[in-house]
Amino acid sequence: MRAAHRVAAAGIALGAVLSLAATTASSADAESPDAGTVRVEAATDGDLEAAASARVAAMSVREKAASVVMGHIPTTDAAALRDYMEETGIGGFILMGANIPDGEAAVRAVTAGLTVDPAFPPLIAVDQEGGDVSRLGGDAFASALALKGEPAAAAQQAFAGRGGLVQRAGIGVNFGIVADQTDDPGSFIYRRALGTSPKAAAERVAAAVEGEAPESLSTLKHFPGHGAAPGDSHSGIPSSGMSKARWRAADALPFEAGIDAGAALLMFGHLAYTAVDPAPASLSAEWHRIAREELGFGGVAVTDDLGMLQGSGVAAYADPVANAVSALAAGNDLVLAVMFSNARTAPDIVDGIVAAVESGELDPQRLDEAATRVAVLRMGLAADGRGLMPCADCAPVD
């Protein structure tokens, strides 16, 4: 029941199934107060998962491959963004600073351009942590630097506001909850972490998910935790010799708390806990097993930006397509590419995934699993109306 609860709570907003009450020719039925009325019934987890499985089963290998790629091009031109999404068929898009025009209405025009099919919207994501990492304007809510010294309820309030800000922009996914923990002010992640101890971070991470989840699909990052691995993964592969037992008793706690609270996505970092696996967690089947089997995560596993692997300078990670295939094989459901990318990067990754399936390098069942998990979130967004744009004349979030 515990694992089932986590899957159900993974930020998936189940829609409503509308059904007309049957009427008959008999006068008794015609006089029934239920005759001809509309009845609203909540869809079940099984309904959504079955619908996602059926949709993926009808896809070609190329369509499945495209659906597990989150791409990026740096423009605010809604027409160009729509063309990009239509031509690539990719399942997600991350908004960076170059995609954010001034004003909420202008941002909504961007996200509307990305949403080719509101019945099956892409996973549009943004890094809206607040404070140092903010893409959207108008985020006056408390940042992690302040929240680490406040009660957990303050984190819930801040992320409730942040989730509303994200939702009003037409964005479904926030890569905004940093579940790393450290008490070292010299760490590059310190200002972005919600706590300076495992317990404090866990309380605030759970509260942040609970606050944000009604409006935006929450993402925990950067699993299994930057705090114990010194260095910045934008320019190297931070590593730690911490034992798994010590990790489980400390750095794992904020991630577990966020999973229990219902986070829909878990972002795997490009960092290595060498006592568990010498490979970066983003490319480690063992870390994916731990997240699924030991922490009970049932949602979408997403890589941190694969361009960061290229930026590490490690020769083995110089090929972005190979990195994407390896990430999928390890257990990621969604591969993200930003740094060093251009309009051809996502299509090239799609080509590489297709080639890997055809050559036997990537198990087609692994691709099906990833595509289905992504489809569940996309269909959940649509069922909850999150594939539709908010009203243009609503007042902005204060």
Side-chain angles (χ1 to χ4, degrees):
M1 184 63 185
R2 186 174 181 232
H5 167 73
R6 289 177 176 178
V7 174
I12 300 170
L14 298 180
V17 178
L18 299 179
S19 60
L20 287 174
T23 60
T24 69
S26 72
S27 59
D29 286 342
E31 293 172 359
S32 168
D34 291 333
T37 61
V38 174
R39 185 171 66 250
V40 180
E41 298 176 352
T44 67
D45 291 357
D47 290 336
L48 191 58
E49 291 172 4
S53 294
R55 181 150 195 152
V56 170
M59 291 179 178
S60 67
V61 172
R62 181 166 296 277
E63 288 170 332
K64 294 173 189 177
S67 77
V68 301
V69 176
M70 178 173 277
H72 168 77
I73 54 172
T75 181
T76 58
D77 185 329
L81 290 167
R82 179 167 289 264
D83 288 345
Y84 174 74
M85 298 302 284
E86 288 179 338
E87 291 168 5
T88 62
I90 57 177
F93 188 94
I94 183 169
L95 297 169
M96 303 297 287
N99 303 117
I100 308 295
D102 291 335
E104 187 179 86
V107 177
R108 283 203 299 269
V110 166
T111 53
L114 290 165
T115 307
V116 175
D117 179 6
F120 195 50
L123 295 181
I124 301 174
V126 68
D127 291 309
Q128 193 64 29
E129 300 174 14
D132 292 352
V133 180
S134 294
R135 309 295 183 212
L136 301 173
D139 189 341
F141 306 105
S143 71
L145 192 60
L147 291 171
K148 67 174 81 246
E150 296 291 329
Q156 181 172 356
Q157 182 177 19
F159 277 86
R162 198 157 282 133
L165 184 71
V166 168
Q167 192 277 335
R168 281 191 49 81
I171 300 167
V173 177
N174 188 15
F175 291 158
I177 299 179
V178 175
D180 310 293
Q181 67 85 27
T182 181
D183 61 359
D184 178 9
S187 169
F188 92 100
I189 206 69
Y190 177 83
R191 292 175 58 89
R192 298 163 58 193
L194 286 164
T196 55
S197 72
K199 182 177 183 293
E203 292 172 349
R204 287 157 184 76
V205 166
V209 173
E210 290 164 1
E212 183 177 65
E215 303 297 340
S216 175
L217 298 180
S218 295
T219 306
L220 308 175
K221 60 185 187 185
H222 309 79
F223 188 78
H226 263 302
D232 187 339
S233 55
H234 291 84
S235 56
I237 307 294
S239 64
S240 171
M242 177 184 285
S243 70
K244 183 185 171 186
R246 185 178 170 195
W247 170 82
R248 191 67 184 82
D251 292 66
L253 299 184
F255 291 99
E256 185 171 33
I259 290 168
D260 282 339
L265 297 98
L266 180 63
M267 179 177 283
F268 282 70
H270 306 308
L271 56 153
Y273 280 66
T274 56
V276 177
D277 190 333
S282 55
L283 304 181
S284 167
E286 177 60 9
W287 276 114
H288 283 80
R289 186 200 66 75
I290 291 168
R292 300 280 182 198
E293 297 180 10
E294 299 186 20
L295 300 190
F297 180 64
V300 167
V302 58
T303 68
D304 203 347
D305 175 17
L306 290 174
M308 293 161 63
L309 285 175
Q310 291 174 261
S312 72
V314 177
Y317 306 137
D319 183 349
V321 175
N323 292 338
V325 171
S326 296
L328 281 169
N332 289 283
D333 306 307
L334 190 62
V335 293
L336 167 65
V338 183
M339 286 175 59
F340 309 115
S341 70
N342 55 45
R344 281 297 319 163
T345 302
D348 287 347
I349 289 174
V350 174
D351 288 344
I353 295 170
V354 172
V357 170
E358 292 176 343
S359 71
E361 180 184 358
L362 180 64
D363 186 341
Q365 292 184 343
R366 171 79 272 274
L367 179 59
D368 285 354
E369 178 183 56
T372 301
R373 287 197 183 116
V374 171
V376 166
L377 282 193
R378 294 174 67 181
M379 296 178 81
L381 287 174
D384 196 39
R386 300 191 203 190
L388 305 174
M389 293 300 104
C391 59
D393 58 353
C394 294
V397 174
D398 291 327

